[in-house]
Amino acid sequence: MSKMHVKLNVNGREVEGLAEPRTLLIHFLRENLRITGPHIGCETSHCGACTVDLNGKSVKSCTVFVAQANGAEVTTVEGLVNDDGSLGVIQEMFREHHGLQCGFCTPGMITRAHRLLQENPTPTEEEVRFGMAGNLCRCTGYQNIVKAIMASADMLNAQKEAAE
Amino acid sequence: MIPAGFEYHRPTDTASAISILQEHGDEARVIAGGHSLIPMMKLRMADLAHVIDLQDIQEMKGIEIGADSVTLGAMVTQHELITHDGLAAAVPIIREAALQIADPQVRYMGTVGGNVANGDPGNDMPGLMQCLDASFELVGPDGTRTVAARDFYEAAYFTAREDEEIMTRIMIPVPAAGVGQAYEKQKRKIGDYATAAAAVMVGKGSASVAMTNLADTPIWSEAASAALAARDVEGCVAAMLDAIDPVEDNRGPVEFKKHVAAIMLRRAIARAISRAG
């Protein structure tokens, strides 16, 4: 099969590459672009370890062909650090509230939490659990992930208020 | 995990998509949200030489709320169904059901057209569309035709859609004010297909009842609907249990599924009645 020319904006930078249309977005990110934060935890689209933000939507990048994503804007966990390279708010809160152990689900968790808090800046605990239901974790039992996201919401809202 | 290679097409109108389908026949398939097709391709249960991506076809997008009828573009995502307040006001059962489908990521991508056209009895929208008496617009080389949801499903993965046709829109009659609606689904966990699920509309002397994943197609039962219209709940449940034909799988044996089916149906009826005016 012939390769196609793919152009994406990933974490604010224009990137291009050649890939077969069947290449999954997760493989293109990890293998062509060496953006290895997003992970692969299954082959049935359940685990969400590969979650990235694609044109403002949380998407499992194992279930998108790179051909479908051609021209899209993608944000991965690597793009969620502050401009000075320090941890973003959600990343910092996962650290502070022990929202990770092995760290394999964490990039997908944080990228999903980023979109969830854009859409619902003041979620209840129940809304956080439901809003994160596409992401599996084998280590934490979820409790501390929920705490980290609730704390992120508070901090982001406080920052927004301070800026106004 | 690794799908076989294919040629990729991204037409910008329905006619072009159909001509690509005609050119390649069985070798080609349209891709909407990709969240049933890509998993099948990754397991090599679907092997296609040509994939036709519908994402740039504007005429298959959008939600129109009319006084008597709601029209959904086939490429409307589950996320868009959930977040559309006009739709929630006109046909609230759609949001209720969509929130029980898959998970957030899948709902951003998966489309209502893909859900109803897929033909998997596990999908929730087909039974819901039968309950609502929706109809599906199919466009093919010979023009456009409309098929009732209640006539669309023939067997697992077999529908009334011809290979060279594309489902473009879904038309749903707006239920009368005061008609209570409910979608009740038993599943093992988030994202699972139903062990049993029931879609119920009742009120104003009418009723409609359909169930999901209890046969090789969704099941709408005229007898169950008529019984419920007469407020004969036990008659409705008995008629539906007669109409379904579940098979044993890892969600449970046949007897258990019938048991769960009756419970889901009774709960959906109770909730729909509580919402009826």
Side-chain angles (χ1 to χ4, degrees):
Chain A
M1 291 286 154
S2 53
K3 291 192 172 183
M4 63 184 285
H5 186 235
V6 181
K7 217 173 174 176
L8 296 173
N9 183 305
V10 182
N11 297 328
R13 283 215 317 266
E14 297 291 334
V15 294
E16 328 188 20
L18 282 175
E20 288 185 55
R22 67 163 169 168
T23 306
L24 297 167
L25 178 58
I26 183 66
H27 288 134
F28 188 77
L29 291 170
R30 290 179 54 84
E31 292 169 17
N32 293 55
L33 304 179
R34 302 286 171 190
I35 294 173
T36 57
H39 290 139
I40 299 170
C42 74
E43 56 177 10
T44 49
S45 311
H46 288 106
C47 80
C50 64
T51 299
V52 302
D53 206 76
L54 178 80
N55 291 335
K57 306 187 271 196
S58 294
V59 163
K60 295 179 179 181
S61 60
C62 75
T63 314
V64 180
F65 293 123
V66 73
Q68 295 172 284
N70 194 9
E73 282 191 23
V74 176
T75 303
T76 70
V77 72
E78 288 88 348
L80 296 176
V81 294
N82 295 324
D83 292 341
D84 64 2
S86 61
L87 294 183
V89 167
I90 303 172
Q91 296 169 335
E92 187 62 40
M93 290 301 102
F94 267 67
R95 189 191 68 77
E96 194 170 312
H97 292 272
H98 306 285
L100 67 148
Q101 289 181 36
C102 84
F104 198 84
C105 76
T106 313
M109 285 282 180
I110 288 177
T111 313
R112 169 60 195 142
H114 165 74
R115 178 54 45 197
L116 173 64
L117 294 179
Q118 304 275 315
E119 292 184 350
N120 183 358
T122 54
T124 63
E125 181 179 327
E126 194 183 344
E127 286 168 344
V128 169
R129 288 181 183 276
F130 191 71
M132 298 299 295
N135 294 74
L136 299 181
C137 174
R138 285 285 176 253
C139 301
T140 63
Y142 301 100
Q143 297 281 71
N144 287 353
I145 290 175
V146 175
K147 284 183 197 163
I149 295 170
M150 300 293 283
S152 301
D154 289 345
M155 188 149 294
L156 289 164
N157 291 331
Q159 281 182 359
K160 216 183 298 170
E161 236 170 73
E164 274 162 14
Chain B
M1 185 74 190
I2 309 298
F6 56 81
E7 293 293 337
Y8 174 78
H9 309 264
R10 202 195 278 195
T12 55
D13 59 79
T14 308
S16 311
I18 289 163
S19 70
I20 302 167
L21 274 178
Q22 278 187 283
E23 190 182 336
H24 300 292
D26 275 358
E27 299 272 276
R29 190 89 62 86
V30 299
I31 188 168
H35 277 53
S36 296
L37 183 59
I38 296 176
M40 286 295 112
M41 292 174 75
K42 286 163 66 174
L43 296 168
R44 303 277 177 130
M45 291 169 79
D47 186 358
L48 306 164
H50 295 268
V51 169
I52 306 163
D53 187 348
L54 305 179
Q55 69 168 295
D56 283 348
I57 302 182
Q58 294 304 320
E59 64 220 46
M60 291 190 203
K61 296 181 182 176
I63 298 172
E64 292 165 35
I65 312 289
D68 304 325
S69 170
V70 162
T71 303
L72 309 175
M75 289 293 285
V76 168
T77 64
Q78 304 290 349
H79 181 77
E80 289 167 335
L81 293 179
I82 291 164
T83 52
H84 195 288
D85 289 335
L87 182 62
V91 196
I93 195 174
I94 294 177
R95 175 185 281 176
E96 182 169 280
L99 282 167
Q100 298 179 58
I101 294 172
D103 61 49
Q105 287 93 320
V106 175
R107 291 193 292 264
Y108 283 107
M109 293 296 285
T111 65
V112 62
N115 195 296
V116 298
N118 191 24
D120 188 330
N123 289 116
D124 289 288
M125 287 288 167
L128 174 60
M129 293 303 162
Q130 292 192 336
C131 174
L132 289 165
D133 199 16
S135 48
F136 305 145
E137 181 182 272
L138 302 169
V139 180
D142 303 326
T144 300
R145 66 188 179 112
T146 301
V147 178
R150 292 174 188 172
D151 299 329
F152 187 72
Y153 299 94
E154 295 164 0
Y157 299 103
F158 282 92
T159 67
R161 188 184 60 80
E162 301 293 336
D163 284 347
E164 292 177 354
E165 288 180 318
I166 299 176
M167 186 181 294
T168 50
R169 300 196 302 166
I170 295 161
M171 287 77 72
I172 301 166
V174 173
V179 170
Q181 308 167 27
Y183 194 77
E184 194 79 31
K185 177 177 177 180
Q186 168 67 39
K187 56 185 192 274
R188 297 170 299 179
K189 56 184 167 56
I190 283 279
D192 193 22
Y193 282 154
T195 304
V200 171
M201 291 202 301
V202 60
K204 302 286 168 197
S206 72
S208 179
V209 181
M211 295 200 77
T212 295
N213 216 13
L214 293 161
D216 63 353
T217 63
I219 298 290
W220 176 79
S221 164
E222 188 167 10
S225 302
L228 185 59
R231 293 290 168 110
D232 173 9
V233 172
E234 289 315 306
C236 172
V237 172
M240 184 53 91
L241 287 177
D242 204 39
I244 61 175
D245 184 19
V247 292
E248 176 168 356
D249 59 17
N250 52 15
R251 292 184 182 88
V254 170
E255 206 167 324
F256 175 70
K257 289 188 172 184
K258 287 185 173 172
H259 174 73
V260 176
I263 291 172
M264 288 304 103
L265 184 52
R266 286 198 183 95
R267 287 183 186 171
I269 290 169
R271 208 141 44 83
I273 287 176
S274 77
R275 292 166 173 174

